[in-house]
Amino acid sequence: MVTPEVRTFSPRVIEGSADAGTVAWTRAQLAAFLGPRLEADALARVGVAFEGNRLRGAYADPDPTPVATLRSWDARLTLPGGEVLADAVTGIGVRSTHRRRGLTDRLLTEDLGAAARAGAVAAVLTSTQGALYERWGFGLATYTRRITVDTARAHFRDAGPRGSLEIVERPDAALALTLPIHDRARRRHPGALERLASQWDQVLVGAGPWNGLEPDRLRQTVVWRDDDGRPAGYAVIRVEESWYATGSATLGVVDLQALTSTAYTELWRHLCSQDLVGTVSWPDASVDEPLPWLLTDPRAVVAGESRPMLWLRVLDVPALLRARRYPTEDALVIEVDDPLGHARGRWRLDTHDRLAPAVGPASGEPDVVLTASTLGAVALGGVDPRVLVRANRLDERSAGAAARLARMLAAPSVPWNGTRF
Ligand SMILES: CC(C)(COP(=O)(O)OP(=O)(O)OC[C@H]1O[C@@H](n2cnc3c(N)ncnc32)[C@H](O)[C@@H]1OP(=O)(O)O)[C@@H](O)C(=O)NCCC(=O)NCCS
């Protein structure tokens, strides 16, 4: 059997269509995820959305269609009190006839190496395969949770409404209003990422690879403005279940971002007070949504199980730990084991200067020993190191070190990333 050759490229776009290599890559990627077989012109449209991304493929020549795929791009990732450049990875898929031959290992190891050399401080991905990515140093760093509201019981404690609401029909107008709100809101949530233009298309228009970038005509963007007319929040919604059979529709929330608690309240008041709507449901809400506390009956909101969302892989330990802020002044020696080498070492983290934490190689004995994957899980402050001691994932070498690390890494708000990619 010939070993497939790995190639990396960026889509070329010619007169609004992606080049043949990108079309073949896109076809392979959709097939690996059990997606639809799209016509070549639809694949050429989809490929345009990947412009500027890095496409990696493993090719079993002479077949021009890769047998394994990976896509990545640079994105700003929010940390507690800062942000870093991260390698966002997606589209990891292998043709079903070529699984378990080490192709994902080759593509991902290569991508992480290239990202580290290019200066990315971390890599991130979202995954439905919970057992897969730890071996490459990814740790589960954020969760989301579905919240579902029974609108008949949703009575708001505050009097309202306040401000004004606008339904924005044109996607370009919606983007102009929502992007600046998201850009400010994402900086408040460790784990949030800036979005590519193609991700915005997916959120606002519903145009994604799976539907050949066809718009989802059920989507609607509503923007809330304060009394001075300043946009301070938005919700993107779609009808998930029509009112037609039961007289009571279910509204799905695709995205909701609010810069003030008033904007948050008024957007939810709007969603819960629409005619024909009995239920509003948001699958990727934060695990600490304040909505139940806005209502006279908190039981009008049912919170589902929390589900894994963002996996984080630290590529540059000093750069990542220096870029975030810490609520306590302390110093610890952290030893990181990393088979891929990127995070490996014994590092001293000193947070006595809150504005300029010091991180560098340490010579003394470690206070805690952990793997790169465990470091990824705790780095945003969303997972408590003490829990990982109890799970034998973090070795506490000096008494009380895990509790000290927990206090150092604590985040000002619960890490949340509401965008699957
Ligand atoms: C999951 C998938 C990407 C794995 O690709 P692959 O090329 O078969 O993986 P590799 O051969 O490089 O395997 C690398 C290691 O991961 C392990 N592994 C592979 N798939 C796994 C899975 N789904 N869960 C847990 N471990 C897995 C392998 O056993 C191997 O471990 P080892 O080195 O200890 O032997 C591939 O089967 C696939 O495309 N599946 C459908 C699409 C998908 O699920 N993509 C990922 C979604 S985020």
Side-chain angles (χ1 to χ4, degrees):
M1 193 192 336
V2 184
T3 307
E5 181 199 346
V6 172
R7 291 180 216 146
T8 305
F9 60 101
S10 279
R12 277 179 297 114
V13 176
I14 307 138
E15 293 176 2
S17 291
D19 62 292
T22 302
V23 167
W25 185 96
T26 307
R27 180 183 293 118
Q29 207 263 308
L30 283 172
F33 281 88
L34 310 176
R37 268 199 321 275
L38 300 180
E39 300 296 337
D41 58 339
L43 290 170
R45 265 199 316 276
V46 172
V48 174
F50 303 150
E51 205 178 1
N53 295 185
R54 297 175 284 273
L55 305 188
R56 294 181 196 278
Y59 294 83
D61 277 338
D63 193 343
T65 304
V67 292
T69 60
L70 181 151
R71 176 163 70 93
S72 64
W73 66 92
D74 298 337
R76 310 293 312 175
L77 166 74
T78 305
L79 304 178
E83 62 174 33
V84 287
L85 186 69
D87 179 43
V89 185
T90 188
I92 297 177
V94 180
R95 194 183 292 177
S96 54
T97 48
H98 287 67
R99 293 161 63 247
R100 308 297 185 269
R101 297 183 193 178
L103 292 177
T104 292
D105 187 38
R106 280 176 66 196
L107 293 182
L108 189 49
T109 303
E110 205 167 285
D111 190 74
L112 293 174
R117 286 191 296 279
V121 170
V124 284
L125 52 79
T126 62
S127 173
T128 49
Q129 301 278 336
L132 188 56
Y133 292 108
E134 184 190 331
R135 73 195 69 232
W136 292 286
F138 288 86
L140 179 52
T142 79
Y143 288 82
T144 59
R145 183 157 77 169
R146 180 184 287 277
I147 54 171
T148 302
V149 194
D150 174 355
T151 61
R153 292 167 68 190
H155 302 294
F156 285 73
R157 305 171 71 87
D158 293 6
R162 294 158 292 182
S164 62
L165 290 154
E166 181 192 357
I167 292 167
V168 188
E169 299 273 356
R170 286 205 352 253
D172 54 345
L175 182 65
L177 287 163
T178 55
L179 192 147
I181 295 171
H182 180 269
D183 213 45
R184 284 176 62 193
R186 77 173 166 82
R187 289 161 208 266
R188 300 173 178 190
H189 302 289
L193 290 161
E194 67 181 335
R195 287 185 184 144
L196 294 172
S198 57
Q199 289 178 296
W200 276 107
D201 267 354
Q202 214 152 332
V203 169
L204 295 175
V205 187
W210 280 59
N211 61 10
L213 301 194
E214 286 299 322
D216 166 13
R217 298 191 188 279
L218 294 173
R219 250 162 232 234
Q220 191 183 83
T221 301
V222 56
V223 173
W224 184 84
R225 286 188 170 80
D226 64 18
D227 288 337
D228 296 322
R230 279 188 299 256
Y234 69 87
V236 182
I237 51 176
R238 77 183 300 278
V239 175
E240 298 294 353
E241 260 175 63
S242 174
W243 53 270
Y244 195 69
T246 59
S248 170
T250 298
L251 266 193
V253 176
V254 178
D255 188 20
L256 189 150
Q257 303 287 342
L259 297 177
T260 63
S261 55
T262 308
Y264 183 85
T265 308
E266 296 309 328
L267 284 165
W268 276 109
R269 193 194 308 274
H270 171 68
L271 299 183
C272 293
S273 63
Q274 301 205 36
D275 291 336
L276 302 176
V277 174
T279 307
V280 183
S281 195
W282 187 9
D284 287 322
S286 174
V287 294
D288 69 340
E289 287 299 326
L291 179 61
W293 301 98
L294 295 178
L295 306 178
T296 53
D297 176 3
R299 296 181 69 163
V301 182
V302 175
E305 296 167 8
S306 57
R307 290 174 303 145
M309 186 56 153
L310 193 80
W311 294 71
L312 175 69
R313 202 280 181 231
V314 181
L315 292 170
D316 183 335
V317 175
L320 185 123
L321 293 179
R322 271 187 217 125
R324 54 158 293 172
R325 291 294 169 262
Y326 302 85
T328 58
E329 293 168 16
D330 203 346
L332 283 175
V333 174
I334 301 167
E335 184 170 302
V336 186
D337 177 25
D338 183 358
L340 295 189
H342 302 296
R344 185 187 300 142
R346 200 174 279 187
W347 310 98
R348 183 181 155 81
L349 168 63
D350 186 330
T351 62
H352 285 96
D353 183 341
R354 299 266 191 106
L355 296 178
V359 188
S363 48
E365 287 303 306
D367 297 296
V368 294
V369 178
L370 72 184
T371 62
S373 162
T374 303
L375 179 65
V378 299
L380 298 179
V383 178
D384 190 323
R386 288 166 292 192
V387 174
L388 296 173
V389 171
R390 287 160 55 201
N392 301 324
R393 297 284 298 273
L394 190 146
D395 186 4
E396 186 178 44
R397 295 280 175 89
S398 67
R404 285 164 61 204
L405 186 62
R407 283 194 294 274
M408 283 166 102
L409 295 179
S413 61
V414 173
W416 174 51
N417 182 312
T419 313
R420 285 182 191 283
F421 59 90

